[in-house]
Amino acid sequence: MKFSANRSEMQPIIKRCCLVIGRQFLAKEKVCILMEADEDHNHVQFTAMGNECVLQARLNCYVEHSGKAMMIGSVLQSMLELFREEVTTVETDDTMISVRNAKTGYSFALMDSKKYPVPEPCTPESLTEADGFYEISSKVLFSASKDASKGLRALNCVRVTVHDGQWSATSCDSYRLTMVSKDTTQTQPLDMLLAVDAMKTVLHVFNGIPHYKVGVSNGNAVFCGPGMVLRARLNEEQYVNIQPLIDHFHMVHEVQVDGGVLLDTLKRISAGSTTNAKLLLLPVDDRTMRLQFISNANSTVGGQIEMDCVVKTPLPKDGFCYNYIYLKEAASLMQGKDIAVQFDKTGAMMLRADNELHLLLPIRQPKIEEKPKTKRTRKAA
């Protein structure tokens, strides 16, 4: 095998391949990129496999001899980053593979490409323009469960659908819920459930690519972009129906606030560690709400600040308490928007803005321990 390609065209492909490979490997062959050169059509196909995804990308270049070889992805990426000249040549003989340009070259022992687990072809019956996929999916990732164990695998995922002229993405970790939608002209229905790791890979690979299509085939979500196809394994679990949670939410209290003001206030109030930190929301008057920060159960660090807002229905006297990080993450996605902050009688908080919704459940308020009264003792005469 021998081919020559422009470094600037080859490097983005190898970078995307390494994103798919990731850092956790089920087999040693999966750290490698398979290169298949076609002399008749003057192109090279690169294949990379991860635990959840498979990427195949094609590069048009000059191919002198057809053949195939595999090489460790991170090593190939590092070499291309070190090269300064544009034209890069990859060549193999019976025992070695070399990667070189005009001034620099590297040689390695040739690995057996027959051991590479080449994926079976996967062709969806129909493809949908992914005009809103990246925007909505990236906004719901944070509220999916981080635990991929068997019991929580159904929540360690993101659901994306196309229905009634809208893209919709949802995620939930049993403590918080996020739903984002966007209007679309697509009429072909679509419903997919992707694990968090798979969704992160898809978003990283297609970051900056404005036009691509998506479909479903043989238990995989298939994403087709310019010169590449990414396959992501669908989550086999039954997704939790979150619609009843939204339908059963009955607003009792409401506050309106600017998203940027809310985020800025949350950033300013934090002091000490934010791990397991709590935020207590307390009423003040019809134009102000007090935010009280409590670092964690084992810390005395705390702080409070007042925030300008429009109180339509005041909170109860004792207020409600929430996970500080969860609320800050939701606020960071809603800056620049006017937010309707709604509460039900249990303290469940719903942040609404345009086509975006975040639901956070309250947590137990910290107990305030009363200091024991000390008895005065009479001095001896």
Side-chain angles (χ1 to χ4, degrees):
M1 180 188 76
K2 184 178 181 180
F3 68 88
S4 297
N6 289 333
R7 169 182 167 273
S8 59
E9 296 176 350
M10 186 175 173
Q11 191 172 8
I13 293 176
I14 302 304
K15 182 179 179 180
R16 290 189 173 95
C17 287
C18 290
L19 288 171
V20 170
I21 293 171
R23 297 182 179 181
Q24 297 180 359
F25 317 113
L26 300 178
K28 66 178 183 179
E29 287 79 13
K30 288 192 175 183
V31 305
C32 296
I33 297 173
L34 179 67
M35 298 173 283
E36 299 173 281
D38 188 335
E39 181 181 351
D40 297 331
H41 298 91
N42 269 331
H43 70 239
V44 179
Q45 179 168 284
F46 299 87
T47 302
M49 301 184 70
N51 294 338
E52 299 281 351
C53 301
V54 178
L55 174 66
Q56 291 183 308
R58 184 169 293 178
L59 174 64
N60 294 320
C61 60
Y62 173 64
V63 179
E64 190 170 334
H65 300 298
S66 297
K68 62 181 180 178
M70 65 181 186
M71 191 172 185
I72 297 174
S74 58
V75 174
L76 182 55
Q77 182 181 13
S78 297
M79 287 188 294
L80 293 176
E81 290 174 351
L82 293 172
F83 287 167
R84 292 292 177 265
E85 288 72 26
E86 184 67 12
V87 178
T88 301
T89 301
V90 180
E91 184 178 6
T92 64
D93 56 22
D94 294 336
T95 60
M96 302 293 290
I97 180 172
S98 64
V99 182
R100 64 180 187 273
N101 64 5
K103 297 182 180 180
T104 311
Y106 301 91
S107 296
F108 304 89
L110 188 65
M111 292 185 283
D112 187 2
S113 60
K114 294 179 180 179
K115 293 183 178 180
Y116 194 87
V118 180
E120 295 292 330
C122 187
T123 306
E125 293 183 0
S126 61
L127 291 170
T128 301
E129 286 285 347
D131 51 355
F133 180 88
Y134 187 95
E135 180 182 348
I136 64 171
S137 299
S138 59
K139 285 190 173 184
V140 303
L141 262 178
F142 81 100
S143 60
S145 174
K146 306 301 185 291
D147 190 346
S149 59
K150 186 175 180 180
L152 293 173
R153 185 167 170 76
L155 296 177
N156 179 241
C157 55
V158 173
R159 185 185 185 189
V160 181
T161 62
V162 177
H163 62 88
D164 299 331
Q166 280 194 329
W167 279 97
S168 179
T170 56
S171 64
C172 176
D173 66 356
S174 77
Y175 294 100
R176 52 185 170 170
L177 178 155
T178 302
M179 178 181 291
V180 181
S181 59
K182 182 181 180 182
D183 293 338
T184 179
T185 57
Q186 305 302 319
T187 57
Q188 185 72 26
L190 182 71
D191 192 342
M192 64 175 70
L193 190 63
L194 288 178
V196 169
D197 288 344
M199 181 61 79
K200 287 180 179 179
T201 300
V202 172
L203 296 179
H204 284 148
V205 169
F206 283 91
N207 184 24
I209 299 178
H211 302 292
Y212 55 97
K213 297 182 178 182
V214 58
V216 176
S217 176
N218 298 327
N220 292 281
V222 182
F223 300 84
C224 300
M228 64 180 179
V229 176
L230 177 67
R231 179 191 318 181
R233 187 173 61 205
L234 294 174
N235 193 325
E236 70 281 2
E237 300 289 336
Q238 182 68 35
Y239 191 62
V240 178
N241 185 11
I242 63 173
Q243 193 59 43
L245 296 175
I246 299 173
D247 294 339
H248 293 158
F249 181 89
H250 299 292
M251 183 189 69
V252 178
H253 315 281
E254 184 177 12
V255 175
Q256 286 192 335
V257 62
D258 179 84
V261 172
L262 176 60
L263 179 61
D264 181 63
T265 305
L266 290 170
K267 287 180 177 179
R268 288 166 57 196
I269 195 177
S270 62
S273 173
T274 58
T275 304
N276 298 323
K278 298 180 179 182
L279 189 79
L280 187 60
L281 301 182
L282 298 166
V284 178
D285 53 40
D286 59 355
R287 304 292 298 180
T288 313
M289 188 164 59
R290 182 177 294 116
L291 283 67
Q292 184 173 338
F293 177 85
I294 305 163
S295 182
N296 58 55
N298 299 319
S299 174
T300 58
V301 177
Q304 64 180 21
I305 191 172
E306 292 186 352
M307 179 180 69
D308 294 334
C309 58
V310 177
V311 179
K312 292 194 169 183
T313 312
L315 274 64
K317 178 182 177 181
D318 295 332
F320 296 118
C321 192
Y322 302 93
N323 181 293
Y324 170 78
I325 294 178
Y326 288 0
L327 182 54
K328 183 181 175 183
E329 286 178 334
S332 66
L333 296 174
M334 305 184 82
Q335 53 183 320
K337 299 179 181 180
D338 290 328
I339 305 174
V341 185
Q342 302 172 345
F343 308 83
D344 68 6
K345 63 181 181 180
T346 67
M349 175 198 292
M350 186 176 288
L351 291 84
R352 292 179 177 269
D354 300 330
N355 57 351
E356 198 168 330
L357 179 152
H358 299 271
L359 179 64
L360 279 74
L361 295 182
I363 58 178
R364 183 177 298 176
Q365 294 193 18
K367 293 181 179 179
I368 301 175
E369 297 182 0
E370 295 183 359
K371 295 182 180 180
K373 295 181 179 180
T374 56
K375 295 183 179 180
R376 291 184 179 180
T377 56
R378 293 183 177 180
K379 292 182 180 181

